Amino acid sequence: MNYKKTENFKFVQNKKCEYFPCHKGVKKEDFNCLFCFCPLYMLGDKCGGNYIINSGIKDCTNCTIPHSKGGYDYIMTKMEEVVKKASDF
Ligand code: SF4
């Protein structure tokens, strides 16, 4: 088989979403909706993102990692940790 090399699986937008773009700091045309809910949230302080603790709750409002260029690749580098932590439950 002759596959064309693409990486379209890394990016999707839902411009009809009522919240699009839901975070500031990423150009609209680059805004990636693929990880609408960040899979790294469960890693707590090990996610590597720009979160704050607000009233005892992790607040990701100012983090653009899941929605930025390169965010897919970063998240995939951390998925082994996510799977390990999930298997510990
Ligand atoms: S959105 Fe950012 S701060 Fe929140 S869990 Fe994901 S990487 Fe961490």
Side-chain angles (χ1 to χ4, degrees), residues 4 11 24 27 33 37 41 44 50 63-64 67 70 78 80 86-87:
K4 187 176 178 186
F11 183 85
K24 292 177 184 161
K27 283 195 275 181
C33 302
F37 291 88
Y41 191 85
N50 182 27
C63 184
T64 56
H67 305 295
K78 304 283 278 182
E80 200 172 316
S87 64

Side-chain angles (χ1 to χ4, degrees), residues 38 40-41 44 47-51 58 60 63-66 74:
C38 183
L40 307 185
Y41 191 85
C47 71
N50 182 27
Y51 67 90
K58 184 176 176 181
C60 303
C63 184
T64 56
I65 287 176
Y74 175 77

Side-chain angles (χ1 to χ4, degrees), residues 11 26-27 30 32 64-65 67-72:
F11 183 85
V26 181
K27 283 195 275 181
D30 293 335
N32 194 351
T64 56
I65 287 176
H67 305 295
S68 300
K69 277 186 174 174
Y72 176 92

Side-chain angles (χ1 to χ4, degrees), residues 11-54:
F11 183 85
V12 68
Q13 287 191 329
N14 180 9
K15 289 180 180 169
K16 289 187 176 176
C17 175
E18 291 79 357
Y19 304 104
F20 182 86
C22 58
H23 289 256
K24 292 177 184 161
V26 181
K27 283 195 275 181
K28 259 189 180 180
E29 61 268 29
D30 293 335
F31 199 94
N32 194 351
C33 302
L34 185 65
F35 294 115
C36 183
F37 291 88
C38 183
L40 307 185
Y41 191 85
M42 69 181 305
L43 295 180
D45 63 357
K46 305 282 189 293
C47 71
N50 182 27
Y51 67 90
I52 60 169
I53 300 298
N54 188 359

